[in-house]
Amino acid sequence: MRACLGKFWLSFLILFMMVWANLAAAGEYEIGQNRKRFTIDGKKVDVLRINVGDTVHFKNEDPFYHGIYSISDISTFELGAFRKGQSRSVIFDKAGKAEIECAVHSEMYMVIEVNDLRATKPKNTRVQAKK
Amino acid sequence: MKVNHVSTSNYLHRLAALVFGIVVVTIAPISQASQPDPYLRPAVVPASSDNQFTQARMELGKALFFDPRLSGSKWISCATCHNPALGWSDGLPTAIGKDMKVLGRATPTILNTAYQTRQFWDGRARTLEEQALGPIVAESEMNANLDEVLERLAAIPGYVTLFEKAYSGEGITKSTLAKALANFERTVVSTESPFDRWRKGDRNAVSESAKNGFKIFTDEESGRCVLCHQGFNFTDNGFHNIGLKGNVDPGRFAQVPVKILKGAFKTPTLRDVATTAPYMHNGAFKTLEEVVEHYDRAGLDKTETLDPNMQPLKLSSQEKVDLVEFMKTLTGRPIRISLPSLPQ
């Protein structure tokens, strides 16, 4: 009986660790800069919901330069000017909202909502994590 | 019988495929043709949802635009610098403001500002309504106290009537003053140019040199102009450091402190460009030929924030001539404007 109980707890622990590991796996997302819009799979995106620890790759798909930056409470960065085909990556390690803009083309604007995965799972269903 | 049935079916399938093919071949060009030409002016001029065009609003805005009583000295109007006879600019390298003081930036044309997503050289205003009051209150420009201006206007019966017609019940306020000016400015749009006539199919509207110039202009490798000067208004509404000699003006960087914006200024429209010399935010170049030379050598001051789109072009003499010829075809007839009788 005792051995049986031990096996049960061991199985439970392994299962718990597997679920946790799955939840904790950092996601990767690619956001294109396409025709002066932020896009995912070619479609304009205004809001992207991710988890703390996830990485976002900003990829320039336009023939001209972009300069992506954010001046937000949770994340401040400047990615500099980068050309077509080039990509710059940012890891979002705090929960909250980050406003993303292009310094060159001021009409380019989107928001990245970073969720604390221990509190909630991401609600965005349109975006597939990049493998 | 079965064989016949199959044959008939095959025949019908082939006929259907043929009809489908004909439809696709016929419709595709029509569909493409129905796409608006990105180089032609959109049919509708953008307007703020709470400041739609009306004749009364435009007429009020026009009166205000030409009225020097909007300035502290009562002798500078918006039209003093944005002169319709000078391409809605002033023909000077940089503007002259209060007490004849020479200012640091050129007067930008107000032509087609209705289509811009940012106003001023550094983009510090999004809309014309936001922009309109800026030069009026700027100490170095019109140097007016806005409250005093509103009181002044309210004491002029003609303006009381015009404001009431334009913005019934809203009174003479900062908001209605800005909206009226913006309403007028949205009527200052470019007219059909030789380039437009060519795009619409008139092969003789522009010279062969200009046609070649357009080809160079839009080539992302040889001319590279299109990397910033895009669409009907020939601007990306973006901000670029183009390596002007000795420029110390931070430009857009003062508004958005991102490193690549140091010394960056808004890409101006090229519509009616033949009428808006001198060129650049500091009036550095007197002619379009000088402008082309500047881009050909990828700028003069190669600072670390020089826009990476700036690359040596190595254009031939003929290609430079063609580029200038093309840019000149972007100038249409000036819009007809009658000077208002200012309200008393």
Side-chain angles (χ1 to χ4, degrees), chain A residues 75-95:
Chain A
S75 187
T76 294
F77 59 83
E78 294 178 31
L79 302 184
F82 53 105
R83 72 176 76 194
K84 184 176 186 176
Q86 289 185 327
S87 182
R88 298 280 188 275
S89 302
V90 178
I91 298 171
F92 289 85
D93 53 10
K94 286 182 186 168

Side-chain angles (χ1 to χ4, degrees), chain A residues 12-30:
Chain A
F12 180 79
L13 189 65
I14 290 169
L15 187 68
F16 177 80
M17 286 175 73
M18 284 172 69
V19 170
W20 178 254
N22 186 43
L23 278 173
E28 295 193 36
Y29 300 84
E30 184 173 280

